[in-house]
Amino acid sequence: MPYIQAPDRQQLTFMNKLDDLVAPDHPVRLLDGLIDQIIGADRAFFDHLAAEGTVGRRGYPAGCLIKLFLYGYINGISSSRKLQAEAERNIEVIWLLGSLAPSYKVIADYRKDFPEQLQRVNEQVVRFLMNKGWIEGRRVAIDGAKLKAYTGWDMPDEEELEERLQRAHRRLDGWLRELQVNDTLEDLAEMEDREQDWPGTESECMAQIQRLRRRIQKLEEAKRRLADSDARRLPLSDPEARPMRAPHGGRPPAYNMQAAVDHAHKMIVVAKVTNAPNDFEQLTPMHQGLYGQMGHYPGELLADKGYADLGDIQQIQTTTPTRCYIPENDAPVANRPITFTYEPDQDQYRCSAGRVLEPVAKDRYRTDKDAYMDVYRGTRCRECPMQSQCTSAGSGLRTLTVFHGARWRHDYGRQLAGRYGKARIAERKAVVEHVFGTLRYWMGQIPLKLRGLKKVQTEIDLYATAYNLKRWMSMGTFKELMAEVADWPTGLTPNPA
């Protein structure tokens, strides 16, 4: 049976120009045109070259590296070494970069040293999508996800750090004694005018001493960082990461990625990284971040009960035009194992198991929440058979925070209980959950490649920009989308914040 025969590799051919190797309607042309528009509107900001007269070869332009990163993240490639390989063998990338092929060190250093430029690109892409109607900003859903930090599970507490310090000091003392013994033996050998090999040479001793001194310095710095932070444990290689509860158990060092997604076309409006272990304190920062990005507050804000800080919700709804649809954390739920009933005569709460929660703080005012609250704590929770279903606190006692403002809370409950409120709460999952699923799929088993809060934020900016661009590229014909790029007045979209 005859097969298709490959032509001879020695056959002479007429080579096409580079532009002919990429289809006229290929999506990579959209990426190229949009980034050129963004950089062309503010060339001074994207000028990262050394000062005039500096010795050395010329640097790669910012547009080259930004296009390479976005192409890589759109296609699930975030490693600088793999991006270098793509720049050398992938025809699309060769066309995109104009045959430039930066090394992996240049690629990695740009991502590390110029996060402001990558953040500016992310902001401008969002404003481009708003200008063209792909982001409406009328209804936004927010959610968070824990991302494993690029570090091991070694997270010593203060006691473990002290033990390691003492062990390192003991080993250092041993090597110092060995060095002193060697010096004495060498002096004796010189007096006897003979040569002899000793158990540990001077160079070996000095190398071990220097290594242990660096180890002690590193442990002392870790101890100081732990004392200055509010955490009980810190990873040594990424001290800004925090232990966070994982979906499948355990508390690995991680970062908390917050994302605000517009409901119209499921585009990411804001993506921020924090090391807060939960979402309870993130509602106001994300709301303000939406204002800073869009120039106005969203009409509706959807979130799950992890964001149900009623003080923040009341402040948002009374001082801004935003209406929140966030279910209360302690709202009545069918089949909830533990419920609480207020007894006004004794000013206490009684749980469904018969235990009493007595007041431990009244009229507590929190400046950051601009709200008053009362705190009640259980008295005999440790003997309760339902303790494991009620609280995970280390003290074993259930704490109940009661927000002031019963009338407002009643109105807010009616807002959620209505047909429209229930529809918005149900809609949240359809708007925001799949975004995290897509990003986790792109990230793979090692979600982050950088360490430190600022560098991780740079990675998330790249992922958010790549996600929005890939989604935008699939929502219209090449001709329509290219016309949007050509008509976008980039110089008229300053930061509204």
Side-chain angles (χ1 to χ4, degrees):
M1 180 179 179
Y3 294 97
I4 298 175
Q5 297 296 318
D8 189 353
R9 293 188 178 94
Q10 305 300 323
Q11 175 74 38
L12 291 176
T13 60
F14 290 100
M15 297 299 296
N16 297 327
K17 61 180 182 290
L18 182 59
D19 194 64
D20 291 339
L21 300 179
V22 176
D25 59 348
H26 197 284
V28 75
R29 295 182 181 269
L30 296 173
L31 174 62
D32 180 67
L34 183 58
I35 299 304
D36 284 345
Q37 284 274 58
I38 292 173
I39 294 178
D42 193 359
R43 292 192 181 279
F45 181 82
F46 289 97
D47 182 11
H48 65 282
L49 297 180
E52 191 70 26
T54 304
V55 178
R57 66 170 294 183
R58 296 179 180 180
Y60 290 94
C64 165
L65 296 166
I66 291 171
K67 292 173 186 177
L68 177 59
F69 272 118
L70 291 179
Y71 180 91
Y73 277 75
I74 286 173
N75 292 279
I77 304 171
S78 57
S79 165
S80 59
R81 293 180 183 269
K82 291 182 179 179
L83 289 173
Q84 176 189 351
E86 292 297 309
E88 295 170 350
R89 71 188 179 195
N90 189 324
I91 294 297
E92 297 171 9
V93 181
I94 293 172
W95 177 91
L96 184 64
L97 306 187
S99 299
L100 296 178
S103 69
Y104 73 91
K105 186 69 166 59
V106 173
I107 297 170
D109 284 347
Y110 179 81
R111 180 169 52 185
K112 173 174 64 73
D113 297 335
F114 297 95
E116 296 83 7
Q117 295 184 4
L118 296 171
Q119 182 182 4
R120 176 68 65 87
V121 170
N122 180 42
E123 293 171 353
Q124 290 298 323
V125 167
V126 171
R127 296 194 183 106
F128 164 75
L129 296 171
M130 290 179 60
N131 182 268
K132 299 305 176 183
W134 298 104
I135 292 178
E136 297 178 357
R138 182 169 57 87
R139 183 183 304 150
V140 176
I142 63 175
D143 204 352
K146 310 301 189 296
L147 301 178
K148 169 72 167 60
Y150 190 54
T151 181
W153 285 64
D154 183 22
M155 294 182 290
D157 56 17
E158 186 176 0
E159 183 178 349
E160 291 172 351
L161 282 173
E162 185 61 34
E163 290 178 0
R164 296 185 189 187
L165 268 171
Q166 293 178 3
R167 191 183 311 125
H169 278 295
R170 287 195 299 268
R171 295 185 64 186
L172 178 61
D173 293 340
W175 280 105
L176 288 172
R177 287 193 298 270
E178 175 115 8
L179 181 63
Q180 186 177 6
V181 169
N182 280 350
D183 290 341
T184 303
L185 292 174
E186 288 174 0
D187 292 341
L188 290 174
E190 290 177 1
M191 293 174 60
E192 298 178 4
D193 194 19
R194 61 188 177 86
E195 294 182 359
Q196 184 172 341
D197 293 332
W198 312 115
T201 63
E202 183 176 354
S203 60
E204 180 186 354
C205 291
M206 292 303 298
Q208 292 292 342
I209 289 170
Q210 292 298 326
R211 185 183 66 82
L212 286 168
R213 283 176 175 168
R214 289 194 297 269
R215 173 71 172 168
I216 290 171
Q217 182 180 5
K218 183 178 179 180
L219 290 172
E220 288 176 345
E221 290 176 358
K223 193 174 179 181
R224 283 195 298 270
R225 285 195 299 263
L226 183 60
D228 294 339
S229 70
D230 56 354
R232 292 182 59 249
R233 295 176 177 270
L234 287 181
L236 297 178
S237 55
D238 189 356
E240 292 189 272
R242 294 291 182 271
M244 298 186 190
R245 186 171 298 171
H248 304 293
R251 297 178 66 87
Y255 288 97
N256 186 353
M257 181 183 72
Q258 298 287 310
V261 182
D262 185 72
H263 89 290
H265 296 95
K266 314 302 186 292
M267 301 284 192
I268 300 175
V269 186
V270 175
K272 296 294 183 184
V273 177
T274 177
N275 54 12
N278 54 56
D279 301 332
F280 189 69
E281 303 283 342
Q282 304 307 314
L283 183 61
T284 295
M286 290 300 293
H287 188 244
Q288 293 299 322
L290 287 167
Y291 178 80
Q293 182 68 285
M294 300 190 300
H296 63 84
Y297 290 111
E300 298 174 351
L301 193 61
L302 317 180
D304 60 25
K305 64 181 181 180
Y307 293 85
D309 187 331
L310 293 178
D312 281 355
I313 295 173
Q314 183 183 26
Q315 186 175 13
I316 289 172
Q317 293 210 153
T318 54
T319 60
T320 71
T322 303
R323 290 177 67 84
C324 297
Y325 293 92
I326 305 171
E328 297 182 51
N329 225 341
D330 286 329
V333 177
N335 301 321
R336 182 184 288 273
I338 307 294
T339 57
F340 300 93
T341 305
Y342 182 60
E343 298 177 351
D345 296 338
Q346 290 80 25
D347 186 22
Q348 63 184 22
Y349 278 84
R350 188 177 298 275
C351 71
S352 53
R355 268 44 177 193
V356 173
L357 288 82
E358 297 179 345
V360 294
K362 300 290 289 185
D363 299 327
R364 176 180 291 176
Y365 178 74
R366 292 185 58 175
T367 307
D368 57 333
K369 303 299 180 188
D370 191 22
Y372 290 90
M373 57 190 70
D374 300 333
V375 181
Y376 295 80
R377 185 168 296 145
T379 55
R380 295 186 298 114
C381 298
R382 296 187 183 92
E383 299 85 12
C384 180
M386 303 186 70
Q387 181 199 26
S388 60
Q389 304 178 51
C390 183
T391 180
S392 59
S395 63
L397 302 176
R398 173 62 186 260
T399 299
L400 189 67
T401 301
V402 181
F403 173 74
H404 283 203
R407 179 175 298 179
W408 177 88
R409 183 170 183 174
H410 175 72
D411 293 341
Y412 180 67
R414 292 181 60 186
Q415 174 182 320
L416 299 181
R419 181 179 298 177
Y420 187 83
K422 290 180 178 179
R424 299 288 74 77
I425 292 173
E427 182 185 11
R428 179 198 65 82
K429 291 183 179 181
V431 174
V432 72
E433 294 287 357
H434 77 96
V435 174
F436 289 102
T438 301
L439 292 180
R440 285 186 182 278
Y441 176 75
W442 287 2
M443 292 175 178
Q445 290 186 339
I446 304 177
L448 301 174
K449 302 293 189 298
L450 303 180
R451 292 171 177 167
L453 199 59
K454 185 176 181 180
K455 295 178 184 178
V456 172
Q457 180 64 60
T458 303
E459 269 200 281
I460 298 306
D461 287 338
L462 284 167
Y463 274 116
T465 307
Y467 175 88
N468 285 342
L469 288 176
K470 189 169 185 177
R471 193 162 183 82
W472 168 69
M473 290 174 183
S474 67
M475 290 188 171
T477 65
F478 176 84
K479 186 176 181 180
E480 294 170 344
L481 299 180
M482 202 65 190
E484 290 183 357
V485 173
D487 295 340
W488 181 42
T490 52
L492 303 179
T493 56
N495 192 330

